[in-house]
Amino acid sequence: MRRGKDEEMGHPGFREKATILDRDGIRRALTRIAHEIIEKNQGVQEVALIGIRRRGVPLALRLAEKIERIEGAQVPVGSLDITLYRDDLTRLGPQPQLSRTEVPFPVTDRTVILVDDVLYTGRTVRAALDAIMDLGRPRAIQLAALIDRGHRELPIRADYVGKNVPTSSREIISVQLEDTDGQEQVVILETG
Amino acid sequence: MAVRHLLGLADMPAAAINEFLENALPMKQIISRDIKKVPTLRGKTVITLFYEPSTRTRMSFELAAKYLSADTVNVSASASSTSKGESLADTARTVAALGADLVVLRHPCAGAPHLLARLVEVPVVNAGDGMHEHPTQALLDLFTLRERRPDLEGLKLVIIGDILHSRVARSNIWCLPRFGVDVHVAAPPTLVPAGLAALGVTVHDRPEDALPGAGAVMVLRLQRERQQEGLIPDVREYARLYALNSERLALARPDAYVMHPGPMNRGIEIAPDVADGACALITDQVTNGVAVRMAVLYLLMLGRGE
């Protein structure tokens, strides 16, 4: 069974069922999350954002931009490739291409906020937690997801959620961002 | 990628070579961290079978496997049953029965890894076979050059030394021209294999003729254990005529990279000040060797369930 990160690839045989968020919806959700991050951490000192490749990265950059506009403080942003930490590598078909992890700041003693597009089984987040622990010892790790679609297989929950979407496991949540996909929307796909 | 074994670069598609190198970049990040380990190959076993003495290649493979959390077992010729007469085929069966997930083989006979690959179900990596190929060395050389110069088109690279006995030279000669490198060799005529020019390599007798305009110089070890046939009159004469010293290096471009696959005979094929010079990439080659071998293990051991 291939899911999680693999949902980023094409989806032949699926048709669009509904739009969950449009361009404005994504923008408003991120603005709210930015406010929540500032509020929960009482400012953003010692806070860093780390996006999970691929779509977590542009989302983390946008959050940092919004935080700077609201709070007037810059937040460092990194990107994380979790491929080497996956628990399903041997079950995948062709080897997933690795990309670079770029965390150009020490994570030790910081509050790291992991950013991903869709929170689903929780396995990607589990891998990301291990990957971050190998970079240092953060004071705390929090999780922000644009969409939480349920169906968790591990005891993991998000601290910040753009939108909760009840789904069936036969459906696919497709997050499309200007930076990676040329358009801006979140749609739900189902086998047609 | 359809590549199942890494036996040589002669018939390896450029796309597959690129895939190895692209995956080596994140691996290099891992070995520069404080925690040099990822759980990727947890529970897998790599067996290194060395039928020829080697320290650095074996160490490099072993570290690569360990950094990816694989378990490693080393079998060297002196310690193994080969000295008791066991054939490679029987060793292969033993290896399979032990449950290895990948075998790294160094062997004095050309083609031994190809034979092993037919005998076992698991991926085989050639760590040097006779005078044939040493593919991971050529991959790490290419990786090291590209790190300095992403586009190698038009780079003139001179290989100096015993081309005849060198599997490092052979793998590089198969590999580098495909990435636009203009490969020249400089060696005593007795140490150049027949037909080399047919591979698109320019052959020179003297380093002085080859070096002008060179952007990279690869010095090969004078394999003294393979000089029993009288192909060179004397090691000292070889050193006088072929050693890369600062005067000869001055003929190349001022920013020319100096490479050596190691181990070095300082004062024979390379002068100490050149080996330690600002343009020497020799220690980069060692570090990159681990990263490239991690990528090789990762790509060959995972995701083969087509």
Side-chain angles (χ1 to χ4, degrees), chain A residues 49-109:
Chain A
L49 298 170
I50 296 185
I52 301 176
R53 281 193 190 274
R54 286 172 42 215
R55 289 187 185 77
V57 179
L59 292 175
L61 287 167
R62 291 183 198 187
L63 284 173
E65 221 172 88
K66 287 178 187 294
I67 289 171
E68 190 178 351
R69 212 174 305 150
I70 300 161
E71 193 71 4
Q74 285 198 344
V75 179
V77 180
S79 62
L80 198 63
D81 180 72
I82 54 110
T83 311
L84 293 170
Y85 291 85
R86 291 173 69 132
D87 61 5
D88 57 351
L89 274 172
T90 48
R91 312 194 321 174
L92 293 173
Q95 305 84 339
Q97 172 77 45
L98 302 180
S99 43
R100 296 170 73 111
T101 285
E102 275 152 36
V103 181
F105 47 85
V107 298
T108 301
D109 293 334

Side-chain angles (χ1 to χ4, degrees), chain B residues 89-122:
Chain B
D90 285 329
T91 309
R93 283 177 201 111
T94 312
V95 162
L98 286 172
D101 295 292
L102 181 139
V103 182
V104 176
L105 176 66
R106 162 161 298 185
H107 202 278
C109 298
H114 300 70
L115 174 65
L116 186 67
R118 285 201 296 274
L119 295 170
V120 296
E121 295 292 307
V122 298

Side-chain angles (χ1 to χ4, degrees), chain A residues 81 83-86 89-90 92-102 126 130-131 133-136, chain B residues 1 3 19 22-23 25-27 29-30 33 35 37-40 44 68 298-305:
Chain A
D81 180 72
T83 311
L84 293 170
Y85 291 85
R86 291 173 69 132
L89 274 172
T90 48
L92 293 173
Q95 305 84 339
Q97 172 77 45
L98 302 180
S99 43
R100 296 170 73 111
T101 285
E102 275 152 36
R126 195 283 308 161
D130 282 350
M133 296 299 193
D134 281 357
L135 298 177
Chain B
M1 188 177 68
V3 175
E19 191 174 14
E22 279 156 21
N23 284 284
L25 272 173
M27 298 302 184
Q29 289 188 313
I30 291 165
R33 315 193 303 208
I35 300 178
K37 212 176 184 72
V38 289
T40 317
K44 306 261 180 202
L68 291 170
Y298 167 71
L299 287 172
L300 294 182
M301 288 175 84
L302 289 176
R304 288 181 297 107

Side-chain angles (χ1 to χ4, degrees), chain B residues 161-175:
Chain B
D162 179 356
I163 313 292
L164 180 65
H165 295 103
S166 174
R167 51 197 175 208
V168 175
R170 244 172 221 82
S171 285
N172 269 305
I173 286 168
W174 288 120
C175 173

